[in-house]
């Protein structure tokens, strides 16, 4: 079991693929473990990408500091792990909570990454996300870890996937309860209490950035990813159809293709970070995987994009005013 | 320590998958958990004689009764062994737990927000979080016996009760630096982990070298 010691704590990690290939570092979301990325350990090396994944402090097989750790601690630990392994310019992928760590890493260590892939994540907490976080937290500490996982399941997975994987979901729940320490996950959640918006800092991220957002991610919805798109100048936003918050577990083939294509574009100087919005095909084997998003990408109702509003002159406005219908007595 | 614990967990998962949790192992587990609960409730019992004018009092009071409740629940749900050696070995393990944690240090005087109390919080945090038994069971084994259900209930309740320790360890201002607090917490954790490892080594003895 490879482990790296940092600041008195152990970070457990796994490295898969060929030396010399570009490295993708995967940062887990809350209550995830390295084993959640099993399919990626095959798929990405086959596509010419080496995979480094690790358990952040507080979960999985890594140390769980009783007094907790900050986002900056997580980013510093990852930076030290990269240095320890001699990885100078990785592509840093982070999902959900791990996405925030990835953003922190990109801001704090701008020269220590070749690309950034924030997934199902956010740079600021709005009222809805704060509400979800509070509910999950209260469920964790007042009811228990099993209930916390129960709350996450319908947010993480699509209806179709849940219907097909009832037994697996029970197993995931049991393994989740057994392999996590409540206080470790609680500490990670409590580090959100003092979370300050990173949106202003996004302008400092210059690395090529692929932002991935599931179509039906109601935990971290579209507008939070759009904040990232608008804030990171060298970015593109890709919408992944019919999936929810934890889509990486549900569709590893498609996600691997999106990641590998992005990395090869950057490596081959074919990347254009123009802050545009794209929709992925559902078939991971599709010839053309991405097409430009038609319509207004911020709406759930598929309306055409709003035209820029023109200021009307006072006379024009008054001539188009609709008359009120006569009142019937 | 982490890899040794991990090895023991894997060994026990394999053993329990094959044989289930028999009366000898149920008795060893229950006697150990009851000893943990006796230490924590023994310390907390002092508070029942102290004034109520301290904010954490009601939470410590609740924990005292919950610890007693969980101890008796597990006792009632256990299929007790008829093998006298099990009780002799359990007595030795429990003696080690009391002496390593120096539990009596916290039972000598009223509890106050001081360094001794902070060390008690660290020790009781470890008692509630290090000694986990559900992860020793294979995930496919249903928790459908009174004993396994009671173990599950004890662990869930531990998760709720430890909130008091988490809050106070993080927020109690005693003039200790972060590093000093971390060191103290780790020290208490190491003691409890050593005792927990001894318990694991005593379970499924026929496969202890596996």
């Amino acid at each position: 079991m490879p482990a790296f010691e940092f600041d008195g704590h152990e970070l457990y990690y796994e490295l898969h693929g060929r030396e010399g290939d570009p490295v993708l570092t995967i940062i887990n979301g809350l209550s995830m473990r390295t084993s959640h990325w099993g399919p990626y350990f095959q798929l990405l090396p086959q596509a010419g990408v080496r995979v480094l994944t690790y358990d952040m402090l507080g979960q999985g097989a890594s140390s769980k500091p009783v007094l907790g750790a900050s986002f900056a601690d997580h980013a510093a630990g990852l930076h030290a792990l990269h240095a320890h392994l001699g990885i100078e310019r990785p592509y840093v992928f982070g999902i959900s909570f791990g996405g925030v760590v990835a953003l922190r890493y990109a801001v704090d260590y701008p020269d220590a990454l070749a690309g950034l892939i924030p997934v199902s994540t956010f740079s600021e907490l709005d009222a809805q996300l704060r509400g979800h976080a509070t509910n999950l937290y209260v469920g964790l500490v007042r009811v228990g870890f099993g209930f916390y996982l129960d709350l996450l399941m319908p947010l993480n997975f699509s209806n179709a996937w849940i219907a097909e994987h009832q037994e697996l979901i029970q197993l995931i729940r049991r393994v989740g309860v057994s392999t996590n320490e409540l206080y470790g996950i609680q500490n990670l959640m409590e580090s959100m209490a003092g979370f300050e918006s990173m949106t202003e800092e996004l302008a400092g991220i210059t690395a090529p950035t692929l932002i991935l957002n599931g179509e039906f991610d109601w935990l971290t919805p579209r507008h939070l990813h759009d904040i990232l798109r608008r804030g990171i100048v060298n970015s593109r936003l890709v919408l992944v159809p019919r999936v929810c918050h934890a889509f990486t577990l549900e569709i590893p083939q498609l996600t691997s293709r999106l990641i590998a294509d992005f990395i090869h574009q950057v490596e081959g100087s074919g990347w254009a970070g123009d802050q545009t919005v794209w929709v992925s095909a559902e078939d991971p084997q599709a010839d053309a995987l991405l097409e430009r998003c038609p319509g207004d990408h911020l709406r759930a109702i598929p309306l055409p994009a709003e035209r820029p509003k023109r200021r009307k002159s006072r006379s024009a406005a008054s001539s188009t005013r609709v008359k009120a219908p006569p009142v019937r007595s | 320590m982490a890899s040794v614990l991990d090895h023991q967990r894997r060994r026990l998962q394999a053993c329990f998958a094959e044989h289930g949790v028999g009366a000898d192992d149920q008795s060893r587990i229950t006697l150990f958990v009851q000893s943990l609960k006796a230490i924590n409730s023994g310390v907390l019992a002092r508070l029942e004689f102290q004034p109520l004018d301290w904010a954490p009092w009601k939470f410590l009071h609740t924990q005292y009764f919950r610890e007693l409740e969980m101890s008796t629940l597990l006792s009632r749900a256990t299929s007790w062994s008829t093998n006298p050696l099990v009780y002799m070995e359990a007595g030795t393990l429990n003696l080690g737990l009391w002496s390593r944690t120096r539990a009596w240090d916290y039972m000598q005087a009223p509890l106050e927000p001081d360094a001794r109390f902070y060390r008690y919080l660290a020790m009781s945090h470890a008692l509630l979080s290090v000694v986990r038994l559900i992860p020793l069971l294979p995930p496919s084994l249903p928790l459908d016996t009174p004993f396994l259900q009671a173990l599950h209930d004890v662990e869930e309740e531990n998760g709720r009760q430890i909130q008091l320790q988490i809050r106070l360890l993080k927020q109690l201002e005693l003039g200790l630096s972060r590093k000093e607090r971390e060191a103290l917490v780790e020290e208490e954790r190491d003691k409890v982990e050593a005792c927990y490892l001894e318990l694991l080594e005593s379970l499924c003895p026929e496969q202890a070298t596996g």
Side-chain angles (χ1 to χ4, degrees), chain A residues 47-126:
Chain A
V49 176
R50 203 171 186 209
V51 183
L52 167 68
T53 183
Y54 75 110
D55 292 329
M56 73 172 78
L57 288 179
Q59 60 181 7
S62 291
S63 300
K64 299 162 188 75
V66 169
L67 301 179
S70 68
F71 281 104
D73 291 336
H74 294 303
L78 178 56
H79 186 244
L81 177 61
H82 283 147
H84 169 72
L85 296 171
I87 299 169
E88 290 179 2
R89 289 177 59 78
Y91 291 81
V92 177
F93 169 110
I95 182 164
S96 196
F97 188 96
V100 182
V101 175
L103 292 171
R104 185 78 262 158
Y105 180 94
V107 169
D108 290 353
Y109 306 100
D111 299 326
L113 77 166
L116 176 66
I117 311 177
V119 182
S120 304
T121 194
F122 54 93
S123 59
E124 59 186 69
L125 283 167
D126 64 8

Side-chain angles (χ1 to χ4, degrees), chain A residues 241-262:
Chain A
R242 299 183 201 278
V243 284
C244 302
H245 186 68
F247 67 86
T248 52
L249 298 176
E250 202 172 317
I251 48 165
Q253 286 87 356
L254 179 58
T255 313
S256 296
R257 166 96 188 267
L258 287 165
I259 293 168
D261 283 4
F262 165 66

